[in-house]
Amino acid sequence: MFIVEDTIAGLEAAQIPKQRGESLLDNAVRYAEERHWDVFPGAWLEAVDGIQRCSCGDGACSAPGAHPAREDWAGQATGSATVARRMWSKQPTASILLPTGRTFDAIDVPESAGFLALARMERMELTLGPVTCTPDRRMHFFVLPGAAAKVPDLVRKLGWPSASLDLTALGEGSYVAAPPTRLGSRGAVQWARSFHASLKRETLQGAHDYGDAATCRRTVFAWLTRYNTRRRHSANGHLSPNEYEHRHHTAKLTLAA
């Protein structure tokens, strides 16, 4: 595990956008107006026979409802709240995408490595920038522009073969999906910092640590299993993931005669 220290300076936990159950339009405008981030609308989800499909029309879309809707998306991105409001007013269900390489880069890591990094950075009392958690168990650490370009060289200096690391540096020409964008029926992108705080509060319950690694793994696994299946989420209309999927994404089967 290594830490990219070029986190976005000055972003304290209280300043990081919070999920408030508001519309995609409201969130997109807030990112542009309050955070001064460029935003652009991406694809969206459409209900087809009771199943959420991506607006791109590809039945095998790998990121349904969470990718650019047009090739010139980089030129479409705007930091104007007025323009953002106008774009999402035309398509209120469009995903919120943030171009990297402008006000920030992003480091894409597996969820397991991401939570370890968060814990370590908090223990080291490092300044933490925004971190998102995606439904496909990835985490995006927002870092200073240009930091992504340093990652390959840092990996080489540490003597790690790049092929063995499930890590992607996202700089100019890339993008990340912002909360509360939904990734098909898998769930919504969320701010991981509040998720991480809930994990510590509900599992440690005031204790300093878990005691040992095995206890930590068992406890966190049990908590994550409930979080990803039975816990109610505001992004799902205060339904559990299981209940949300049962109500909205149950495939209709035609029985053979």
Side-chain angles (χ1 to χ4, degrees):
M1 174 60 62
F2 67 93
I3 302 297
V4 176
E5 296 185 351
D6 293 329
T7 53
I8 302 178
L11 291 186
E12 297 178 357
Q15 296 175 297
I16 295 172
K18 297 180 180 179
Q19 297 207 209
R20 308 175 185 177
E22 296 178 349
S23 68
L24 289 158
L25 184 154
D26 289 336
N27 279 278
V29 169
R30 180 173 295 110
Y31 293 149
E33 190 171 55
E34 298 180 6
R35 299 307 317 150
H36 306 295
W37 291 343
D38 284 2
V39 298
F40 68 96
W44 57 91
L45 297 173
E46 299 175 333
V48 179
D49 295 329
I51 301 175
Q52 295 289 335
R53 305 283 191 186
C54 185
S55 62
C56 70
D58 183 357
C61 181
S62 60
H67 62 81
R70 42 194 280 185
E71 292 184 1
D72 62 342
W73 60 264
Q76 186 188 23
T78 180
S80 165
T82 301
V83 175
R85 184 177 297 278
R86 184 186 310 134
M87 290 194 294
W88 267 272
S89 293
K90 293 180 180 178
Q91 183 49 258
T93 58
S95 54
I96 303 175
L97 303 180
L98 311 175
T100 52
R102 300 187 182 187
T103 51
F104 60 84
D105 286 355
I107 307 299
D108 176 346
V109 300
E111 184 181 82
S112 56
F115 282 122
L116 288 173
L118 269 180
R120 180 178 178 185
M121 293 173 77
E122 288 180 349
R123 286 198 304 272
M124 296 170 66
E125 299 183 351
L126 296 177
T127 301
L128 291 172
V131 184
T132 60
C133 187
T134 71
D136 51 359
R137 296 181 177 275
R138 306 290 300 183
M139 294 178 71
H140 293 144
F141 285 71
F142 289 27
V143 296
L144 289 175
K150 301 177 183 179
V151 172
D153 185 54
L154 177 59
V155 169
R156 284 193 298 271
K157 288 181 178 178
L158 291 172
W160 293 337
S162 57
S164 67
L165 294 178
D166 187 7
L167 178 153
T168 304
L170 303 174
E172 186 175 359
S174 296
Y175 62 89
V176 294
T181 295
R182 294 194 66 84
L183 189 61
S185 62
R186 304 171 210 169
V189 179
Q190 300 189 43
W191 293 110
R193 295 281 297 283
S194 59
F195 174 96
H196 192 234
S198 297
L199 169 64
K200 292 195 298 182
R201 183 180 65 254
E202 296 176 17
T203 58
L204 285 172
Q205 298 181 347
H208 180 69
D209 56 45
Y210 294 98
D212 58 77
T215 300
C216 176
R217 284 193 293 268
R218 288 195 303 270
T219 304
V220 172
F221 178 80
W223 189 89
L224 286 173
T225 298
R226 178 179 178 277
Y227 186 92
N228 289 325
T229 58
R230 302 189 302 278
R231 185 187 181 114
R232 295 181 180 183
H233 298 279
S234 60
N236 290 345
H238 297 285
L239 298 174
S240 70
N242 283 354
E243 179 64 18
Y244 184 91
E245 186 165 356
H246 176 73
R247 290 192 186 186
H248 300 285
H249 305 296
T250 301
K252 296 181 178 179
L253 300 178
T254 301
L255 299 178

